[in-house]
Amino acid sequence: MAITHEAARQAPSSSHAPSADGTSAKSARTVAIACLIGATIEWFDFFIYGTAAALIFSTQFFPKFSPVAATLAAFSTFAIGFFARPIGGIVMGHFGDRIGRKAMLVLSLLMMGIGTFAIGLLPTYAQIGLAAPVLLVLLRLCQGFGVGGEWSGAILMAVEHAPPDKRGFYGGFPQLGVAAGLVLANTVFLVIGWLLTEEQFQAWGWRLPFLFSIVLVAVGLYVRHKVSESPIFEEAQRRGKAARSPLKEVLKNHKKPVFIAALACLAQNGMGYVVLVYVLNYGITQLGLTRSTMLGFIIIANILEIFATLYFASLSDRIGRRKVFLMGTGAGVLWALAFFPIVDTAVPALVLLAIVVARLCIAAMYGPMAALFCELFEPSVRFSGTSLGYQAGSIVGGALAPFIATLLFVSTGTSMSISLYMAGLCLISFIAIYSIAETHVNRPAR
């Protein structure tokens, strides 16, 4: 996999290593924390939609459907956001490789914020009829477009500011935004559920998380405005090595890394969204657990995932990205097969255990992913390449996961079919990463 090693060698060079006074290390930490804050806010916006889709949208926007059909329709609108993500990734990837990473991060946060806030103001089906779900879909597309450029932009800023021997560690910070955003999203819904009656929650309480997001977006925009542009991008600009047409260059000369990245994302996205979105609904409707219990379980699991993700990101600097990722996908195959048999016991402690272990498997994949993907591509096409690979994998693995899980359960009558589905995705990702060479070629001397 010569292209992998070549891209890795063109990652942040030793000239960006920490100086004696620690200036570069301090800059890397500042950027990493800023990326974490921005990513948390964007994923909070993205995940409150998933939580609302599981808990409320079926009755608010699809009341004429049967319960199963309404749930499928709500999960379909959740999936639609994923189909806008590659478009956002392609557009922002092009300009991120042409004019800079920072501008695209600001744009992605702004688009996500506008779409999320507008959902909080959206009339329901009872108020405006069919126009309500149509507008919901359009705003979900806006969300998807915005988050399409978020992931690649954030990881590039963190990794390209990092010292060569800490790219995995610093690249892990924006990855924490997923779990942190989900914890924040579910905590907000949990608190609202405690403070309001069910009637109040159904009538207007569900809107509060969407409206609250505008405050977080303002904070995120301020933080991102203070971050400096990627030194790797600026160096490429000075040397005249910026690609004239990054997407065309990626599709012509970097198809294999894009394909590998897409397949690598299947497990993390598929297992992730089954656990976070489908199981939330499943635990309430099939197992008889309360909404507060299920939200609490997801919050606990994702708090643990935050620490695990950073650990596995750091571990990839010591033993390699490939090895850590294979550990995560291998464990994912085994745990997926056990997941629903354990969940179906309906014993709260065992349900929590199943969710926690699943999230830890995902953390082992997600932790090294930022550095691994950056090292797959040359700096001139890195934004476009990582965006295209990640978003393609997100559609296939994540967008349809809750929908497919619902269909599998309805058509087979057993949750074991969903376990087999998750295990299959993990196996595909395992094979994809197993087929490449290690990307972390700038290991520190032992």
Side-chain angles (χ1 to χ4, degrees):
M1 185 72 177
I3 193 168
T4 297
H5 288 304
E6 178 61 24
R9 280 190 286 272
Q10 295 187 54
S13 64
S14 59
S15 63
H16 191 58
S19 59
D21 62 3
T23 303
S24 294
K26 181 179 180 181
S27 173
R29 286 194 297 270
T30 300
V31 172
I33 292 171
C35 289
L36 167 59
I37 293 171
T40 298
I41 294 168
E42 288 229 39
W43 286 109
F44 166 79
D45 285 355
F46 200 75
F47 282 132
I48 57 175
Y49 190 101
T51 304
L55 298 178
I56 194 73
F57 282 171
S58 60
T59 57
Q60 295 294 322
F61 293 95
F62 305 99
K64 301 295 185 181
F65 292 9
S66 69
V68 172
T71 299
L72 287 171
F75 284 156
S76 295
T77 66
F78 174 75
I80 284 170
F82 285 82
F83 289 94
R85 283 168 61 171
I87 301 173
I90 288 170
V91 173
M92 293 189 194
H94 172 82
F95 289 105
D97 284 327
R98 291 286 295 158
I99 66 176
R101 320 318 197 188
K102 178 180 174 180
M104 295 303 101
L105 280 180
V106 171
L107 176 62
S108 68
L109 186 59
L110 191 60
M111 290 195 66
M112 175 62 81
I114 292 172
T116 303
F117 183 73
I119 290 173
L121 301 174
L122 191 63
T124 64
Y125 186 94
Q127 296 169 310
I128 61 172
L130 188 60
V134 171
L135 290 173
L136 181 66
V137 168
L138 292 176
L139 292 173
R140 182 59 175 170
L141 289 172
C142 182
Q143 277 192 321
F145 188 96
V147 84
E150 161 62 28
W151 186 80
S152 291
I155 66 163
L156 262 61
M157 287 289 281
V159 171
E160 292 183 347
H161 275 88
D165 62 338
K166 294 291 182 65
R167 291 195 297 267
F169 175 70
Y170 285 113
F173 275 84
Q175 301 291 73
L176 305 183
V178 175
L182 192 113
V183 167
L184 185 58
N186 283 282
T187 299
V188 169
F189 271 103
L190 190 60
V191 171
I192 290 172
W194 286 339
L195 296 177
L196 303 180
T197 65
E198 184 64 26
E199 291 74 20
Q200 290 172 324
F201 179 79
Q202 292 281 339
W204 53 268
W206 65 269
R207 298 180 182 275
L208 297 180
F210 293 91
L211 299 176
F212 172 67
S213 71
I214 200 68
V215 177
L216 298 179
V217 169
V219 173
L221 288 173
Y222 174 79
V223 169
R224 287 195 165 173
H225 180 70
K226 297 293 184 180
V227 173
S228 60
E229 181 56 88
S230 159
I232 302 303
F233 172 78
E234 291 181 332
E235 180 67 17
Q237 290 288 89
R238 279 194 297 269
R239 295 184 178 184
K241 291 188 175 181
R244 294 176 60 86
S245 180
L247 179 60
K248 182 179 179 181
E249 175 69 16
V250 165
L251 294 177
K252 181 180 179 181
N253 297 319
H254 301 271
K255 290 189 288 292
K256 183 174 181 180
V258 169
F259 188 62
I260 292 295
L263 293 180
C265 288
L266 295 183
Q268 169 258 320
N269 276 279
M271 177 178 274
Y273 285 108
V274 168
V275 173
L276 297 180
V277 178
Y278 176 77
V279 171
L280 176 59
N281 177 273
Y282 183 85
I284 297 168
T285 60
Q286 299 297 324
L287 304 181
L289 300 176
T290 67
R291 182 174 65 211
S292 295
T293 297
M294 291 303 299
L295 287 173
F297 287 170
I298 290 176
I299 289 169
I300 292 169
N302 279 274
I303 289 174
L304 295 175
E305 183 183 350
I306 290 172
F307 296 100
T309 298
L310 199 58
Y311 167 76
F312 286 119
S314 179
L315 183 63
S316 77
D317 285 325
R318 301 194 296 274
I319 69 173
R321 327 290 185 214
R322 180 176 178 268
K323 186 177 293 186
V324 175
F325 203 99
L326 289 176
M327 288 166 49
T329 50
V333 171
L334 298 177
W335 193 249
L337 295 174
F339 183 81
F340 274 99
I342 294 174
V343 167
D344 284 341
T345 64
V347 176
L350 293 179
V351 175
L352 175 60
L353 174 67
I355 293 173
V356 166
V357 176
R359 297 311 303 178
L360 293 179
C361 292
I362 291 166
M365 306 174 213
Y366 210 50
M369 186 180 285
L372 188 153
F373 280 20
C374 286
E375 291 165 352
L376 284 173
F377 298 95
E378 299 171 2
S380 61
V381 296
R382 189 169 283 158
F383 205 136
S384 297
T386 55
S387 289
L388 192 60
Y390 183 80
Q391 302 306 342
S394 296
I395 287 180
V396 178
L400 299 177
F403 186 89
I404 290 174
T406 303
L407 282 181
L408 286 172
F409 184 73
V410 171
S411 61
T412 66
T414 173
S415 59
M416 193 61 201
S417 59
I418 310 174
S419 280
L420 291 171
Y421 165 64
M422 291 194 296
L425 294 178
C426 290
L427 182 59
I428 292 171
S429 294
F430 181 93
I431 294 171
I433 296 302
Y434 185 82
S435 70
I436 68 171
E438 175 57 61
T439 66
H440 184 32
V441 297
N442 288 323
R443 299 180 188 174
R446 295 184 182 275

